[in-house]
């Protein structure tokens, strides 16, 4: 049985990046259960590959150890571009994309470099990892492998593997690690009020404020899209990262953020004087169905309607689920790894990417973490910081 220096479980963003960085200095194998490596990476940023953000810093991450995240992710977005040959551009929100706006080109570049440096096994699942005298014995559904070091780059909750008992979390716990509570993040949120199903298909740009047990949590401005009992869109995706692990969450939508309450009230007063039906009092001013939903919540006159346009509150029943979520909140606690992202319990076992208890805001922060944590592991394996 061949002995590798490094066995990387998971050929996603962090696993491929790590293999590319090893540069043949160590013998490595990447084991990926999917038919192709990097399939999620190719789907990121709506297929355009939002791989980092010019505003990257530890404050943009949800984590239990800001110092460690600061040390790994840093504050220089360019630091993760090294293996990618090409040019990159940033949009007004700091989201950095390959200039050609093709996420699959990022995967192709990493795959080429990984293939030059490592054996790549696809359609192969790691079913178990055991410590052995000289490292690790990995059991896969295609046979066993030996390696001096093992790196878990298995990502977050993946519904394809979640019932198999062979997720990265299962592998880590079998080696003595714990896993925090897991929640979907950057995802649609389920609404408690079933009557809002009538808004399915309505899209609007507005301000969104989130409250938990009445306490302010976060706010943002952007697109909101109502679905079948759920709400999504870029503003909700952003907010979801702050609320999916909280109880008694409410979102307050401020429709027409650039228009004052008095202007809205005046518009409603004019239409009332013209004899416009009550349900249509916000016609033209708001999407028709949204306008009707706002008016239906009020019993009073123009001032109350205008106030409700600015403070439309909906109850949140939680995240829609892990299906469709972009990331998983929670994972292997940072207290269980060293600064080199090596296990504090098992020498030679490392973690990179989403499997760790770190998730970033929407906007390129999660790929930045996947890449920068893989770079930290590469440094540890090749003799850098431990
Ligand atoms: C639709 C979508 C869009 C996104 N857009 C963005 C974006 O624009 N910007 C951004 O920063 N982030 C984005 N993300 C999040 C980002 O893709 C992830 O945070 C990142 O891919 C995590 O990298 P990873 O290597 O930890 O995990 P992954 O990339 O998920 O890779 C994990 C790999 O491990 C494999 N695996 C798991 N268990 C086993 C096993 N037992 N044996 C063998 N293989 C196994 C899986 O098949 C998978 O290929 C998006 C996510 C989604 C779903």
């Amino acid at each position: 049985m061949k002995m590798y220096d490094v066995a990387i479980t998971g050929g996603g963003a962090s696993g491929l990046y790590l293999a590319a960085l090893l540069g043949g200095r160590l013998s490595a194998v990447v084991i990926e259960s999917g038919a192709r490596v990097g399939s999620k990476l190719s789907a990121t940023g709506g297929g355009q590959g939002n791989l980092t953000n010019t505003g990257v810093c530890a404050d943009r991450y949800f984590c239990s150890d800001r110092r460690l995240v600061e040390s790994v992710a840093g504050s220089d977005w360019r630091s993760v571009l090294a293996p990618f040959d090409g040019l990159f551009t940033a949009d007004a929100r700091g989201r950095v994309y390959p200039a050609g706006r093709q996420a699959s080109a990022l995967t192709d570049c990493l795959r080429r470099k990984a293939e030059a440096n490592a054996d790549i096994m696809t359609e192969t699942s790691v079913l178990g990892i055991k410590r052995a005298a000289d490292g690790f014995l990995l059991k896969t559904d295609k046979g066993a492998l030996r390696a001096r070091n093992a790196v878990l780059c298995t990502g977050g909750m993946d519904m394809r593997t979640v019932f198999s008992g062979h997720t990265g979390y299962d592998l880590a716990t079998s080696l003595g690690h714990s896993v925090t509570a897991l929640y979907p993040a950057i995802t649609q949120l389920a609404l408690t009020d079933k009557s809002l199903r009538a808004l399915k298909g309505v899209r609007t740009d507005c301000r969104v404020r989130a409250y938990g047990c009445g306490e302010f949590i976060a706010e943002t401005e952007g697109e909101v899209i109502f679905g079948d009992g759920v709400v999504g869109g870029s503003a909700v995706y952003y907010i979801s990262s702050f609320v999916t692990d909280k109880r008694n969450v409410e979102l307050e939508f401020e429709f027409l953020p650039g228009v004052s309450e008095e202007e809205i009230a005046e518009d409603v007063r004019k239409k009332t004087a013209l004899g416009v039906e009550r349900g249509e009092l916000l016609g033209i001013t708001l999407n028709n169905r949204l306008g009707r939903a706002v008016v239906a919540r009020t019993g009073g006159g123009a001032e109350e309607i205008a106030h409700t346009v600015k403070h439309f509150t909906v109850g949140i029943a939680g995240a829609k689920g892990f299906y469709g979520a972009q990331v998983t909140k929670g994972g292997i606690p940072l207290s269980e790894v060293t600064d080199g992202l090596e296990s504090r319990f098992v020498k030679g076992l490392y973690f990179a990417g989403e499997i760790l208890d770190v998730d970033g805001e929407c906007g390129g922060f999660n790929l930045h973490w996947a890449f920068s944590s893989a770079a930290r592991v590469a440094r540890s394996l090749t003799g850098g910081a431990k």
Side-chain angles (χ1 to χ4, degrees):
M1 200 188 305
K2 183 169 174 183
M3 174 67 135
Y4 289 96
D5 290 322
V6 188
I8 302 167
T9 301
S14 61
L16 274 186
Y17 194 91
L18 170 59
L21 283 193
L22 288 178
R25 283 171 287 178
L26 299 170
S27 63
V29 58
V30 177
I31 309 148
E32 166 57 44
S33 55
R36 285 190 307 275
V37 288
S39 49
K40 196 196 277 188
L41 174 58
S42 297
T44 54
Q48 299 190 47
N50 170 205
L51 79 167
T52 180
N53 193 293
T54 57
V56 75
C57 67
D59 289 348
R60 311 300 291 270
Y61 290 93
F62 303 88
C63 62
S64 57
D65 185 345
R66 208 155 289 284
R67 183 204 59 79
L68 179 55
V69 171
E70 178 66 52
S71 128
V72 172
S75 50
D76 178 10
W77 59 276
R78 290 184 187 81
S79 63
V80 297
L81 299 184
F84 298 110
D85 310 311
L87 298 180
F88 294 84
T89 52
D91 69 9
R93 289 161 63 189
R95 296 179 298 189
V96 179
Y97 296 87
R101 295 272 176 157
Q102 235 179 329
S104 60
L106 299 174
T107 307
D108 290 343
C109 179
L110 288 186
R111 198 193 56 240
R112 270 197 308 274
K113 293 192 176 181
E115 279 170 354
N117 296 328
D119 290 342
I120 311 275
M121 299 170 68
T122 52
E123 297 187 84
T124 308
S125 292
V126 174
L127 308 178
I129 303 184
K130 281 198 176 128
R131 297 167 82 166
D134 47 0
F136 297 89
L137 183 68
L138 283 82
K139 184 181 164 207
T140 81
D141 51 2
K142 301 268 170 68
L145 287 166
R146 287 166 61 219
R148 287 184 188 85
N149 299 283
V151 190
L152 292 182
C153 297
T154 43
M157 283 286 270
D158 180 338
M159 298 319 286
R160 291 169 308 168
T161 49
V162 91
F163 300 112
S164 70
H166 307 126
T167 63
Y169 306 121
D170 297 312
L171 299 174
T173 50
S174 76
L175 290 165
H177 279 275
S178 62
V179 180
T180 68
L182 303 173
Y183 302 90
I186 312 189
T187 186
Q188 290 183 327
L189 297 173
L191 297 164
T192 52
D193 181 351
K194 302 292 172 235
S195 73
L196 294 172
R197 288 210 154 108
L199 294 179
K200 184 178 170 190
V202 171
R203 289 168 171 256
T204 183
D205 278 339
C206 65
R207 206 152 186 82
V208 185
R209 285 180 276 271
Y211 297 86
C213 299
E215 296 285 317
F216 173 79
I217 300 174
E219 73 178 311
T220 190
E221 199 167 319
E223 191 177 39
V224 167
I225 305 173
F226 288 90
D228 193 6
V230 294
V231 65
S234 62
V236 172
Y237 286 159
Y238 171 84
I239 286 282
S240 70
S241 293
F242 293 81
V243 302
T244 54
D245 57 345
K246 307 267 187 325
R247 285 156 171 259
N248 297 327
V249 173
E250 287 186 325
L251 296 188
E252 182 183 79
F253 297 120
E254 180 184 345
F255 302 124
L256 305 175
V259 182
S260 73
E261 225 167 286
E262 183 42 39
E263 281 175 278
I264 299 166
E266 184 52 32
D267 173 54
V268 172
R269 276 194 288 271
K270 257 195 224 154
K271 287 183 189 138
T272 308
L274 288 169
V276 172
E277 259 179 60
R278 185 168 171 81
E280 308 308 315
L281 284 173
L282 289 168
I284 293 188
T285 302
L286 278 188
N287 167 287
N288 278 344
R289 275 187 285 152
L290 198 52
R292 283 182 212 124
V294 170
V295 173
R297 284 200 172 183
T298 65
E303 286 73 23
E304 190 189 345
I305 292 173
H307 184 78
T308 308
V309 170
K310 293 291 203 179
H311 305 275
F312 189 87
T313 303
V314 298
I316 296 300
K320 192 187 165 204
F322 284 99
Y323 285 106
Q326 291 194 10
V327 286
T328 299
K329 180 180 281 299
I332 308 299
L334 294 182
S335 56
E336 296 184 2
V337 295
T338 65
D339 281 12
L341 302 185
E342 184 177 14
S343 163
R344 290 194 186 276
F345 311 146
V346 183
K347 199 167 165 34
L349 175 68
Y350 295 83
F351 301 92
E354 209 177 310
I355 186 173
L356 286 162
D357 178 16
V358 178
D359 62 296
E361 291 176 13
C362 189
F365 300 99
N366 287 294
L367 282 176
H368 184 97
W369 172 254
F371 297 149
S372 56
S373 57
R376 175 58 58 92
V377 172
R379 208 171 108 194
S380 300
L381 288 167
T382 54
K386 281 268 175 180

